[in-house]
Amino acid sequence: MPRYLNVGAAQLGPIARDEQRATVVLRLIDLLQQGAAAGCDLVVFPELALTTFFPRWYLDEGDASNISGDTTELDSYYERSMPGPETQSLFDEAKRLGVGFSLGYAELTEPDNVGVVHRFNTTILVERDGTIVGRFRKVHIPGHEAHEPWRQFQHLERRYFEESNEGFPVFEAFDGVVGMATCNDRRWPETYRVMGLQGVELVMIGYNTPMFYAPDPTQNALAGFHNHLVMQAGAYQNGTWVVGVAKGGIEEGVESLAQSAIIAPSGQIVAQAVTIGDELITARCDLDWCKQYKETLFDFERYRRPEVYARITAQKGATAPGATKQDGVIS
Ligand code: CDT
């Protein structure tokens, strides 16, 4: 008897800088209702799905470890509680419909209320009864820390978000084993493998990917190819479903990749968005299909060789043969 999970990928079009949370939440509810009408158990929303992609602007002063000056606008993009006053209606509707969801947002947290705040690029997983059953904080934070005026637009994620040390947990939810990753995380094979080693059957990934990559514009034309390449490889090599969901289209003058996709454990794309705006795509995901890969070609227990992979966790940057690092200089 196959284990089917009906999954929706709720792609979003642009969110304007001055768009109110309430308006965005109405868009999310509309997509959730479309998901319910299509028989979805779970709807996946993108990264930072409640606001515009604010890391494109330099909004504060100080340095990345000590954000200072007027942070009024910056702080307005973060959630201090989840659900909060403006997101509660999404949770209520999910419960009413019996449809779960994952949602990316900027999290501002002040543990122990001692005045030290932390900022994470977070995604939560909400079950069909409206309860939060999982949380993921983005691990790989791309871009830069300081204002770089030479760029057409900034990518200041490394200023506005901390790197999470919580890794890639998986959750027993939706009658399967599920996990999350966020945007740049999808480009790193370790992301999928760490979850693969925990038996993951479905990975939810939201993304905001500008089509223009300032450090190397020769990559621009390959943005769509690279997006699918990494997620299809991650799915196949770990025998898992992958749901990649964009906030795409032209947001505040910056064009972002759409092409949301649902990918099977075979690595094949089974559904793909055809617009660059709000759009729900769906797939009936047989979670037992994962076994066909996990128990054959990618039988980890039988075939993996962790004893020869020590470098993967022992070393960060690449070192060419013969190179030694002294005083920061590779010789
Ligand atoms: N949001 C996010 O992680 N975007 C990155 C852009 C990389 S360029 C700084 C991505 O990997 O798609």
Side-chain angles (χ1 to χ4, degrees):
M1 183 70 178
R3 270 183 309 141
Y4 290 121
L5 185 67
N6 290 321
V7 178
Q11 177 175 286
L12 287 177
I15 299 176
R17 189 172 188 167
D18 61 359
E19 198 161 328
Q20 299 297 309
R21 284 284 197 298
T23 315
V24 178
V25 169
L26 285 177
R27 286 168 62 183
L28 303 182
I29 287 175
D30 182 48
L31 287 158
L32 199 69
Q33 290 170 342
Q34 289 182 42
C40 290
D41 304 294
L42 169 65
V43 167
V44 181
F45 292 113
E47 173 191 36
L48 300 176
L50 295 171
T51 64
T52 197
F53 190 75
F54 60 90
R56 74 169 63 90
W57 296 295
Y58 176 62
L59 294 169
D60 62 281
E61 294 166 18
D63 58 51
S65 61
N66 179 23
I67 289 175
S68 65
D70 181 358
T71 59
T72 311
E73 180 178 355
L74 178 65
D75 287 352
S76 75
Y77 294 118
Y78 293 78
E79 310 300 312
R80 290 172 185 267
S81 57
M82 188 57 70
E86 289 148 315
T87 46
Q88 183 64 53
S89 56
L90 180 65
F91 285 70
D92 294 343
E93 187 64 1
K95 184 176 175 184
R96 191 184 73 78
L97 297 168
V99 180
F101 64 90
S102 66
L103 176 75
Y105 63 96
E107 177 192 4
L108 194 152
T109 175
E110 190 184 335
D112 310 320
N113 290 324
V114 289
V116 181
V117 299
H118 298 275
R119 298 165 191 269
F120 295 104
N121 189 336
T122 298
T123 299
I124 45 158
L125 179 63
V126 177
E127 255 289 6
R128 290 157 282 195
D129 62 0
T131 59
I132 297 177
V133 293
R135 183 189 72 197
F136 169 75
R137 289 169 169 164
K138 188 171 182 176
V139 168
H140 300 97
I141 307 288
H144 47 108
E145 292 85 358
H147 187 209
E148 296 187 1
W150 61 270
R151 292 175 183 257
Q152 286 176 20
F153 55 90
Q154 305 293 297
H155 197 108
L156 284 162
E157 276 197 73
R158 291 186 68 80
R159 182 177 193 83
Y160 300 147
F161 296 115
E162 286 175 43
E163 295 172 325
S164 161
N165 290 326
E166 295 175 348
F168 298 95
V170 299
F171 305 93
E172 285 185 282
F174 296 92
D175 308 312
V177 180
V178 302
M180 293 168 275
T182 304
C183 196
N184 191 261
D185 290 321
R186 77 194 188 287
R187 303 188 190 276
W188 301 89
E190 294 86 352
T191 295
Y192 307 90
R193 183 61 100 224
V194 169
M195 287 189 269
L197 284 166
Q198 300 169 82
V200 78
E201 296 172 318
L202 184 122
V203 179
M204 292 156 270
I205 305 176
Y207 58 91
N208 283 262
T209 295
M211 299 293 286
F212 185 80
Y213 183 57
D216 178 15
T218 68
Q219 296 179 30
N220 296 351
L222 301 172
F225 166 63
H226 289 156
N227 178 46
H228 288 160
L229 174 72
V230 291
M231 294 194 294
Q232 290 181 260
Y236 167 65
Q237 291 169 344
N238 294 279
T240 181
W241 289 88
V242 171
V243 184
V245 187
K247 172 137 70 64
I250 301 173
E251 188 181 85
E252 299 293 347
V254 175
E255 187 180 4
S256 286
L257 181 68
Q259 297 184 10
S260 302
I262 302 177
I263 299 155
S266 59
Q268 293 165 292
I269 292 176
V270 298
Q272 185 178 326
V274 293
T275 72
I276 57 170
D278 290 12
E279 179 183 350
L280 183 84
I281 58 169
T282 64
R284 188 172 72 149
C285 303
D286 176 6
L287 299 183
D288 281 333
W289 191 356
C290 301
K291 279 194 217 144
Q292 245 170 275
Y293 289 85
K294 289 185 193 291
E295 294 178 359
T296 59
L297 201 68
F298 295 113
D299 180 344
F300 288 174
E301 189 60 46
R302 183 169 188 190
Y303 297 119
R304 285 186 76 250
R305 298 289 313 284
E307 66 277 20
V308 298
Y309 306 152
R311 272 183 193 272
I312 298 284
T313 54
Q315 186 175 325
K316 190 169 180 184
T319 49
T324 54
K325 208 171 179 187
Q326 272 178 348
D327 301 328
V329 179
I330 293 180
S331 53

